Amino acid sequence: MDRQVLTKLNRLRRARQAVILATDLSGGQDRLIVEGDVVDGPFADAVASAFRSGKSSAVEIGGQSLFLNVHLPPPQIVVIGAVHISQVLVGMAELAGFDIRIIDPRTAFATPERFDGADLIADWPVDVLKEQPLDAYTALVAVTHDPKIDDFPIAEALKVGCFYVGALGSRKTHASRVERLKREGLTEADLARIHAPIGLPIGASSPVEIAVAILAEIIAALRGRDVSSPKGDKR
């Protein structure tokens, strides 16, 4: 592999950007394709499918063979609220291959005893996210029911383009949330990206069932995301 290509590939991976190393199996030059790049021609669908699935494979179209080596940032879930749903979601998310972090300033809820071994931070999201920012490969799950805690990370997730933004609450609760976020300058298009009520509509009622619905919706959002839009700085 060309040294310049390798250097750029490593830089993009450190920056948590999705990238494909496309190798011409007939001996042509390697090419890097960053998620959001315009890909013309017969390989466009194959590239989009590879970004969504995260699976590397060889493809042959029109007599040309390429190996698409896919490098996706590890997807992560940031949960705002150390509640019963979050306790269940931690184990499920890890089994599904997600890194997961719980943030809640309420020290009565955010205790090591309730979240044994989990990445748990008992602090305000506005402070935590300055040091550990959200990005396009993050799913934001807000479940405290407290606007003072939930609103900031929801707004931040929409601004940075998290692939999933979900919030617990009834339709009435969400309508009030939307009005508050409008006053913070978010647009109708931004707010339409919030999944609320959170989770797939499977009739979930218990914390375990709600966690299942949330994780399923996150996976659907990850695998069905728009891979044609640029994600971050590609310099």
Side-chain angles (χ1 to χ4, degrees):
M1 185 192 306
D2 180 89
R3 183 178 294 275
Q4 287 186 330
V5 172
L6 178 61
T7 299
K8 184 177 181 181
L9 174 62
N10 289 334
R11 180 178 57 76
L12 289 166
R13 294 181 66 187
R14 286 193 299 270
R16 284 180 55 81
Q17 288 189 268
V19 58
I20 290 174
L21 173 63
T23 300
D24 187 337
L25 296 178
S26 65
Q29 289 188 329
D30 292 337
R31 175 188 175 191
L32 290 179
I33 305 170
V34 181
E35 187 171 320
D37 282 351
V38 176
V39 180
D40 296 320
F43 285 101
D45 289 343
V47 167
S49 178
F51 272 125
R52 291 194 183 96
S53 70
K55 294 181 179 179
S56 301
S57 64
V59 295
E60 184 169 348
I61 300 174
Q64 184 182 13
S65 297
L66 293 179
F67 187 81
L68 304 180
N69 194 349
V70 186
H71 300 270
L72 293 187
Q76 62 181 355
I77 301 173
V78 173
V79 182
I80 308 301
V83 299
H84 292 311
I85 296 168
S86 312
Q87 289 176 293
V88 180
L89 192 57
V90 166
M92 290 173 47
E94 291 173 349
L95 285 173
F98 290 90
D99 296 332
I100 184 166
R101 184 162 84 245
I102 314 294
I103 303 171
D104 196 327
R106 302 171 301 180
T107 53
F109 292 91
T111 66
E113 293 76 19
R114 297 182 71 237
F115 291 87
D116 184 31
D119 186 351
L120 176 68
I121 305 173
D123 204 349
W124 287 91
V126 65
D127 296 320
V128 176
L129 297 182
K130 288 178 183 176
E131 301 298 324
Q132 301 179 49
L134 306 173
D135 61 31
Y137 303 95
T138 303
L140 190 282
V141 174
V143 290
T144 73
H145 269 304
D146 186 338
K148 296 190 301 297
I149 303 173
D150 284 347
D151 280 5
F152 173 81
I154 291 172
E156 189 69 11
L158 293 172
K159 290 173 184 175
V160 304
C162 286
F163 74 85
Y164 175 88
V165 183
L168 192 66
S170 66
R171 297 187 188 282
K172 182 178 179 180
T173 297
H174 184 58
S176 298
R177 177 188 297 125
V178 165
E179 291 305 313
R180 291 193 305 272
L181 294 174
K182 280 182 181 177
R183 292 194 290 271
E184 297 298 320
L186 289 160
T187 67
E188 293 283 357
D190 293 329
L191 298 169
R193 295 188 53 237
I194 302 174
H195 294 265
I198 197 170
L200 292 181
I202 60 173
S205 59
S206 69
V208 173
E209 291 175 348
I210 295 169
V212 169
I214 292 171
L215 184 58
E217 193 169 52
I218 288 172
I219 292 170
L222 177 64
R223 299 308 176 196
R225 71 193 186 282
D226 178 10
V227 297
S228 65
S229 300
K231 308 290 192 299
D233 183 3
K234 300 182 193 175
R235 291 177 298 171

